[in-house]
Amino acid sequence: MQDNFSERIRKSARSHSSRIVLALDIVENKIERLQPRAISIINDLSPYLSSVKINFHLLLPLGFKEIAKINDIAHANGLQTIADMKLNDIASTNETAVNMLWRMGFDAVIANPFVGYDGALDAVFKSAHTAKNGVILLVYMSHPAASEGYGLSIASPKRSLFEEFISRAVTWKADGVVVGATAPDRIAAVRKRIPKETLIFSPGVGVQGGDAKKSVQAGSDFLIVGRSILESSDPVEAAKRICRESSNRSFA
Amino acid sequence: MQDNFSERIRKSARSHSSRIVLALDIVENKIERLQPRAISIINDLSPYLSSVKINFHLLLPLGFKEIAKINDIAHANGLQTIADMKLNDIASTNETAVNMLWRMGFDAVIANPFVGYDGALDAVFKSAHTAKNGVILLVYMSHPAASEGYGLSIASPKRSLFEEFISRAVTWKADGVVVGATAPDRIAAVRKRIPKETLIFSPGVGVQGGDAKKSVQAGSDFLIVGRSILESSDPVEAAKRICRESSNRSFA
């Protein structure tokens, strides 16, 4: 039987001894340079990565064939690929979007649980799990205003929206959750509440102030890193350093 | 001085006597057929439209040049174009995404106020308003589970998240808000709370059960319609009918 997404990304992580999800957030004015740069970054850094995350930096300007080729090359380098859509649309749009992502070769998609299940993320979970692909839900982001959304307290049931989102991730059988590396206590709180096999992805290491070692200690399985590697004068060395800093807990 | 987005879309609406924002949600397996179909729909229907909304159905598989051409043709037909990203990312990604949208020729973007302002939508408003383009915020969507997000009651300040989002739209100077056509009372409540020049866009007319006439009576300025037109046996007639049904209030 074919492995599902979380099994595949665990294997990639173990074989490369890396918890890094490289965010391919390439800022490049010349659109024809985007795909070649993405490919060259993957070829240079893949021994130190578990996976790559592709965001609107590439999804918007590039078309089907260009994205599919990037995914092919990532797979040939033993990496999984995640489409960072932060999807929060109605079911008919979500279904068309994620079916297109799977055709392009993606292994997982990031979605926002805020939009709810019925007539919205139900379509994403159904399509992803049929294809043995993954759904990763945002549970607490790492930017300054994250408290204006994820940090709200809701009246009924009386708890934080953050706790509500953890509960949705468990009920809906998310393959992973996103919790910012900027608050290790929050990572530890999520780790206690979700099943062992549900992966924690933590963005915000480096530029945004998060610490790789503390995040992994608190329970993060993967670190989403973009600018700290891509904007480094020596990206390979930067990736190796983050691998070392996050090797304090062995892979499950 | 150049008109801003809300002035431009009002002019398009008046000159075509139409409140319709056509959602170009084309479901088409053959990717090479997507752009020609989008263009032919625009050419056939533009006399009965104010604008088109482009979603992941096209944004994902098509590249820069193909999307830019669709926008060019829409503009040549006197229509405005809106990118329906439901954007809810951090500032650096949002900035790259919306700058790319403006380069592609879009006039406005849809974003989710849930993500907050600092380090998130601040970048979207700044970029859009510098370019005289628009930001439309989701305030209440039209799908079954919308209550799981937009309908939540928050503890502090004690009010519904829906009311909080209206207040964000006002404070952040959104050019428009999205409020589902499925609840005219809610449209009327928003109309009372936002400035006269802030436009209300209502999806959910037709397939989802919303009524064009009642929405406009309650205060909607624009109706976002996709499947009711695209899946009709006579799309021109379907668009004309919605124009007639929504002509009960004159354009401001």
Side-chain angles (χ1 to χ4, degrees), chain A residues 67-85:
Chain A
I67 296 286
K69 181 157 182 203
I70 295 173
N71 282 328
D72 279 351
I73 287 170
H75 289 146
N77 279 278
L79 306 179
Q80 291 287 290
T81 68
I82 300 167
D84 189 1
M85 306 275 299

Side-chain angles (χ1 to χ4, degrees), chain B residues 118-189:
Chain B
D118 291 340
L121 294 189
D122 49 359
V124 175
F125 279 95
K126 196 178 164 197
S127 167
H129 290 168
T130 303
K132 297 261 183 187
N133 288 334
V135 182
I136 300 168
L137 293 182
L138 298 170
V139 158
Y140 209 108
M141 283 172 68
S142 51
H143 63 290
S147 60
E148 291 179 28
Y150 302 92
L152 289 170
S153 294
I154 58 174
S156 166
K158 201 172 155 67
R159 55 177 167 181
S160 68
L161 197 46
F162 162 64
E163 287 172 307
E164 168 68 20
F165 284 0
I166 296 173
S167 143
R168 292 184 189 184
V170 175
T171 310
W172 301 349
K173 301 191 196 308
D175 304 273
V177 295
V178 172
V179 192
T182 42
D185 290 357
R186 208 176 278 136
I187 297 169

Side-chain angles (χ1 to χ4, degrees), chain A residues 25-31 34 55-57 59-67 84-90 92-93 96-98 100-101 103-104 112-120 138 141-146 148-150 152-156 158 161 165 168 172 208 227, chain B residues 25-31 34 55-57 59-67 84-90 92-93 96-98 100-101 103-104 112-120 138 141-146 148-150 152-156 158 161 165 168 172 208 227:
Chain A
D25 296 349
I26 303 169
V27 180
E28 165 65 64
N29 213 33
K30 294 204 171 99
I31 288 159
L34 281 168
N55 204 328
F56 296 122
H57 294 71
L59 290 174
L60 272 185
L62 301 186
F64 181 88
K65 284 183 188 171
E66 293 160 306
I67 296 286
D84 189 1
M85 306 275 299
K86 297 185 173 65
L87 204 58
N88 67 119
D89 217 310
I90 61 171
S92 60
T93 296
T96 303
V98 297
M100 185 59 71
L101 294 178
R103 280 181 70 185
M104 286 174 163
N112 192 333
F114 175 77
V115 73
Y117 196 76
D118 291 341
L138 298 170
M141 284 172 66
S142 50
H143 62 291
E148 291 180 30
Y150 302 91
L152 290 170
S153 293
I154 58 174
S156 167
K158 202 171 155 69
L161 198 45
F165 283 0
R168 291 183 189 184
W172 301 350
Q208 291 181 65
R227 290 170 284 176
Chain B
D25 296 349
I26 303 169
V27 180
E28 165 64 63
N29 213 33
K30 294 202 170 101
I31 289 159
L34 281 168
N55 204 326
F56 296 122
H57 294 71
L59 290 174
L60 272 185
L62 301 186
F64 181 88
K65 284 184 186 170
E66 292 160 304
I67 296 284
D84 189 0
M85 306 275 298
K86 298 186 172 65
L87 205 57
N88 67 118
D89 217 311
I90 61 171
S92 60
T93 296
T96 302
V98 298
M100 185 57 71
L101 294 177
R103 279 180 72 185
M104 286 175 164
N112 193 335
F114 175 77
V115 73
Y117 197 77
D118 291 340
L138 298 170
M141 283 172 68
S142 51
H143 63 290
E148 291 179 28
Y150 302 92
L152 289 170
S153 294
I154 58 174
S156 166
K158 201 172 155 67
L161 197 46
F165 284 0
R168 292 184 189 184
W172 301 349
Q208 291 180 66
R227 290 170 284 176

Side-chain angles (χ1 to χ4, degrees), chain A residues 47-251:
Chain A
Y48 319 104
L49 307 178
S50 70
S51 52
V52 292
K53 179 175 82 73
I54 296 183
N55 204 328
F56 296 122
H57 294 71
L58 301 179
L59 290 174
L60 272 185
L62 301 186
F64 181 88
K65 284 183 188 171
E66 293 160 306
I67 296 286
K69 181 157 182 203
I70 295 173
N71 282 328
D72 279 351
I73 287 170
H75 289 146
N77 279 278
L79 306 179
Q80 291 287 290
T81 68
I82 300 167
D84 189 1
M85 306 275 299
K86 297 185 173 65
L87 204 58
N88 67 119
D89 217 310
I90 61 171
S92 60
T93 296
N94 289 340
E95 191 182 354
T96 303
V98 297
N99 287 343
M100 185 59 71
L101 294 178
W102 313 148
R103 280 181 70 185
M104 286 174 163
F106 282 103
D107 300 286
V109 65
I110 298 178
N112 192 333
F114 175 77
V115 73
Y117 196 76
D118 291 341
L121 294 189
D122 48 1
V124 175
F125 279 96
K126 198 180 161 195
S127 167
H129 290 168
T130 301
K132 298 260 181 186
N133 288 332
V135 182
I136 300 167
L137 293 182
L138 298 170
V139 158
Y140 209 109
M141 284 172 66
S142 50
H143 62 291
S147 60
E148 291 180 30
Y150 302 91
L152 290 170
S153 293
I154 58 174
S156 167
K158 202 171 155 69
R159 54 177 168 182
S160 67
L161 198 45
F162 161 64
E163 288 172 306
E164 169 66 20
F165 283 0
I166 296 173
S167 143
R168 291 183 189 184
V170 175
T171 310
W172 301 350
K173 302 192 194 309
D175 304 275
V177 294
V178 172
V179 191
T182 42
D185 289 357
R186 208 175 278 134
I187 296 169
V190 174
R191 188 73 278 170
K192 276 185 203 150
R193 297 268 309 274
I194 61 174
K196 202 170 165 253
E197 63 273 19
T198 309
L199 302 168
I200 298 181
F201 294 82
S202 295
V205 166
V207 173
Q208 291 181 65
D211 180 275
K213 189 169 180 175
K214 284 182 189 158
S215 298
V216 172
Q217 213 148 25
S220 297
D221 298 290
F222 291 95
L223 304 171
I224 300 175
V225 191
R227 290 170 284 176
S228 306
I229 292 175
L230 297 179
E231 293 175 5
S232 158
S233 58
D234 188 343
V236 167
E237 202 37 61
K240 282 185 180 173
R241 185 177 45 75
I242 295 170
C243 284
R244 281 194 304 272
E245 287 171 4
S246 57
S247 63
N248 49 323
R249 192 163 57 77
S250 65
F251 293 101

